[in-house]
């Protein structure tokens, strides 16, 4: 857990990184309390933060945000205290294993994080609109198998090639995703998920569905 005494800054999260077998370090992510820093980007391999509307002079917490190389060393990212971070892009983090999403997340892209195994929302992430996990082949179905997600606002979900996730793992999430418009389950073992969703009246707004290369699709689910 983090305390306000850590480094004397407003801490929103923590990242654990490993550069070698003997070098593992824990980095604090100061974002600040002002509602300026709302977008956290890591996909280019460098930790960065960007305001929604850039002020003429960036406030000190944003200006002093450390730039840390992450592309091949980030193991854990915990943003559970990042109250104002609403967008997270962290694609292609090859060694990232665990992510705790910020509570106000609206758009999350973790595509091609090939080692990601554990993904958890904070307070259910009730404002989440888009969740893109294409290529997270080690992601465990347990990340979705409980009632920890509040998906009423979710409009886009991409689980393509998340080969360790099965239809039964996301059934509860999809039943609550009444606003879902785009769903990709490409390459997954569905196990009757589509049939059950149709029978229960789930996904009433769905307009785009990709189940290419998926298995265990019953003939009654084929349109």
């Amino acid at each position: 857990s983090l305390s306000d005494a850590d480094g004397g800054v407003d801490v929103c999260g923590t990242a654990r990184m490993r550069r070698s077998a003997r070098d593992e370090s824990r980095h604090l992510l100061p974002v600040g309390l002002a509602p300026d820093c709302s977008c956290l980007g890591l996909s280019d391999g460098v930790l960065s933060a960007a305001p929604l509307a850039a002020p003429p002079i960036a406030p000190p917490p944003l200006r002093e945000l450390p730039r840390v190389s992450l592309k091949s060393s980030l193991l854990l990212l915990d943003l559970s205290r990042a109250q104002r971070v609403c967008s997270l892009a962290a694609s292609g983090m090859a060694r990232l294993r665990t992510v705790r999403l910020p509570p106000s997340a609206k758009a999350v892209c973790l595509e091609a994080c090939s080692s990601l195994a554990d993904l958890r929302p904070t307070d259910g992430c009730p404002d989440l609109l888009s969740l893109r996990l294409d290529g997270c082949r080690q992601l465990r179905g347990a990340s979705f198998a409980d009632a920890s997600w509040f998906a009423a606002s979710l409009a886009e979900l991409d689980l393509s090639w998340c080969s360790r996730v099965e239809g039964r793992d996301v059934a509860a999430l999809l039943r609550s995703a009444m606003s879902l418009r785009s769903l990709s389950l490409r390459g997954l073992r569905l196990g009757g998920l589509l049939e059950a969703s149709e029978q229960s009246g789930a996904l009433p707004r769905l307009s785009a569905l990709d189940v290419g290369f998926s298995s265990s699709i019953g003939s009654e689910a084929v349109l």
Side-chain angles (χ1 to χ4, degrees):
S1 62
L2 302 176
S3 67
D4 294 336
D6 284 323
V9 297
D10 298 321
V11 176
C12 80
T14 181
R16 186 180 299 131
M17 288 171 254
R18 176 175 292 172
R19 295 179 178 83
S20 67
R22 297 184 178 181
D23 179 17
E24 182 170 318
S25 56
R26 176 173 173 270
H27 294 261
L28 303 180
L29 308 178
V31 171
L33 296 177
D36 299 297
C37 183
S38 300
C39 181
L40 189 61
L42 299 91
S43 296
D44 59 354
V46 178
L47 176 64
S48 61
L52 283 180
I57 300 177
L62 179 58
R63 188 173 61 246
E64 295 170 5
L65 187 75
R67 296 184 66 79
V68 182
S69 177
L70 300 172
K71 196 72 174 181
S72 62
S73 60
L74 184 65
L75 300 178
L76 177 150
L77 182 64
D78 182 358
L79 296 173
S80 56
R81 291 183 57 184
Q83 297 292 331
R84 291 183 170 86
V85 173
C86 62
S87 176
L88 171 62
S91 300
M93 299 293 150
R95 300 183 69 182
L96 182 62
R97 300 173 188 167
T98 303
V99 174
R100 185 75 181 268
L101 297 178
S104 300
K106 293 184 178 180
V108 174
C109 182
L110 296 169
E111 294 177 335
C113 291
S114 55
S115 297
L116 181 64
D118 188 30
L119 175 67
R120 299 292 177 182
T122 300
D123 299 332
C125 290
D127 299 324
L128 190 62
L129 300 174
S130 174
L131 180 60
R132 302 179 65 179
L133 301 169
D134 184 2
C136 295
R137 295 180 180 271
Q138 297 301 316
L139 185 64
R140 293 194 293 258
S143 295
F144 305 101
D146 56 24
S148 59
W149 293 83
F150 299 150
S153 299
L154 189 64
E156 178 188 26
L157 177 62
D158 188 348
L159 295 173
S160 301
W161 307 112
C162 295
S163 53
R164 297 185 65 183
V165 177
E166 297 187 6
R168 62 186 178 184
D169 298 321
V170 296
L173 183 147
L174 294 183
R175 282 195 297 270
S176 65
M178 302 301 288
S179 299
L180 196 65
R181 299 178 183 274
S182 176
L183 174 63
S184 180
L185 302 172
R186 194 174 184 84
L188 272 62
R189 181 179 176 84
L190 299 182
L193 174 65
L194 299 181
E195 296 89 331
S197 297
E198 183 179 4
Q199 292 172 7
S200 65
L203 309 178
R205 299 186 180 181
L206 190 67
S207 58
L209 174 65
D210 184 353
V211 291
F213 298 97
S214 298
S215 61
S216 299
I217 302 177
S219 58
E220 60 270 31
V222 180
L223 300 179

